[in-house]
């Protein structure tokens, strides 16, 4: 267990249950975790773009031999991605992880290529780079949707009465035939907010959504950081 993990465990153990539930929005580490997850989006795009470009170029130039060192360079890029991830873990998660890379200035070209090609961690980090693309997009979409919904509901008492602002919730459109009559599906199964008690109830739901989202952020960041740290630790072996 690292020093930061011991600190987090001791701090969590000293909190009451209400503080753990409702105090999540007032803790610095929550927003550090949120930043850590949001960083997966631009990093994932950058990793994917660079890797797919280099791999396509390398594979296409293999018949001309030039592609072989380019493909080896892709594995070297995996090591540098490990350095970025270690720095991110240190700054946003308080994890003490360092990654040492083979130095081309200290090794001959043959020794350097052998070092990066025979390192299993470099292959795993390249796979991690591709996975970061999918994970980053999924996290960005989920965080945007959850907190947009939560903040919109929280703000209901301040907005519902403004002309032109409508809070309507329904998943159905069109009409339903009942005998010889037709009933609007939205009015039958939907709901709208028109009074202050309804607005306050919606705001309370919004608070619950935001709290649940922040707790989910902490949990996902803990899981993702743990997996990344294990990967980097494996890369060091």
């Amino acid at each position: 267990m690292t020093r930061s993990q011991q600190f987090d465990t001791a701090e969590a153990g000293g909190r009451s249950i209400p503080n753990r539930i409702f105090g999540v929005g007032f803790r610095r580490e929550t927003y550090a975790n949120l930043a850590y997850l949001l960083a997966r989006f631009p990093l994932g795009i950058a990793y994917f773009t660079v890797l797919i470009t280099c791999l396509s170029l390398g594979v296409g130039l293999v018949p001309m031999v030039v592609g072989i060192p380019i493909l080896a360079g892709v594995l070297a890029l995996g090591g540098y991605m490990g350095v970025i991830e270690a720095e991110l873990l240190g700054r946003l998660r308080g994890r003490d992880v360092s990654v040492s890379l083979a130095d081309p200035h200290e090794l001959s070209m043959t020794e350097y290529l052998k070092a990066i090609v025979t390192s299993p961690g470099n292959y795993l980090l390249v796979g991690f780079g591709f996975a970061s693309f999918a994970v980053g997009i999924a996290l960005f979409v989920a965080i945007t949707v959850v907190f947009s919904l939560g903040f919109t509901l929280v703000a209901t008492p301040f907005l519902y009465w403004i002309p032109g602002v409508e809070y309507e919730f329904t998943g159905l459109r069109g009409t339903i035939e009942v005998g010889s009559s037709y009933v609007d599906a939205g009015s039958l199964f939907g709901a709208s907010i028109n009074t202050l008690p309804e607005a306050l109830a919606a705001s309370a739901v919004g608070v619950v959504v935001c709290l649940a989202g922040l707790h989910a952020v902490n949990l996902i960041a803990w899981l993702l950081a743990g997996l990344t740290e294990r990967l980097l630790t494996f890369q060091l072996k």
Side-chain angles (χ1 to χ4, degrees):
M1 181 178 291
T2 64
R3 177 178 57 81
S4 63
Q5 288 174 312
Q6 291 173 344
F7 175 77
D8 291 342
T9 302
E11 186 180 11
R15 299 189 186 120
S16 63
I17 293 179
N19 184 274
R20 293 185 192 182
I21 296 175
F22 299 104
V24 64
F26 301 96
R27 292 196 285 271
R28 177 185 173 277
E29 61 265 29
T30 299
Y31 299 99
N33 289 337
L34 182 60
Y36 177 73
L37 295 185
L38 288 175
R40 303 258 51 90
F41 180 61
L43 283 176
I45 292 177
Y47 292 162
F48 181 82
T49 302
V50 173
L51 289 174
I52 201 68
T53 300
C54 292
L55 279 173
S56 301
L57 185 63
V59 171
L61 293 177
V62 163
M64 301 176 63
V65 184
V66 182
I68 296 176
I70 293 177
L71 293 177
V74 171
L75 295 176
L77 285 174
Y80 286 104
M81 287 191 295
V83 173
I84 295 173
E85 293 300 323
E87 183 69 16
L88 202 62
L89 285 173
R91 290 184 177 275
L92 297 179
R93 290 287 303 167
R95 304 289 181 92
D96 186 14
V97 182
S98 61
V99 177
S100 59
L101 303 177
D103 190 348
H105 300 290
E106 297 180 354
L107 302 173
S108 66
M109 181 59 67
T110 303
E111 292 174 333
Y112 177 70
L113 289 175
K114 181 180 179 181
I116 60 176
V117 170
T118 57
S119 173
N122 287 340
Y123 294 90
L124 290 175
L125 286 169
V126 169
F128 175 86
F130 283 112
S132 291
F133 177 69
V135 172
I137 291 177
L139 286 174
F140 181 79
V141 171
I143 289 172
T144 301
V145 170
V146 169
F147 288 105
S148 295
L149 174 62
F151 290 138
T152 300
L153 290 174
V154 168
T156 305
F158 307 99
L159 301 176
Y160 82 99
W161 53 271
I162 299 176
V165 176
E166 296 182 357
Y167 278 81
E168 294 185 353
F169 306 92
T170 177
L172 298 178
R173 294 290 185 272
T175 59
I176 299 175
E177 183 178 358
V178 182
S180 59
S181 304
Y182 292 89
V183 179
D184 180 69
S187 63
L188 183 63
F189 296 101
S192 60
I193 298 175
N194 301 304
T195 65
L196 181 58
E198 292 174 345
L200 292 174
S203 183
V205 172
V207 171
V208 172
V209 170
C210 289
L211 286 174
L214 292 176
H215 282 290
V217 162
N218 285 336
L219 176 60
I220 296 172
W222 176 75
L223 291 172
L224 187 58
L227 290 173
T228 304
E229 186 174 9
R230 285 180 177 273
L231 177 61
L232 295 179
T233 303
F234 177 82
Q235 194 267 345
L236 294 174
K237 295 179 180 179

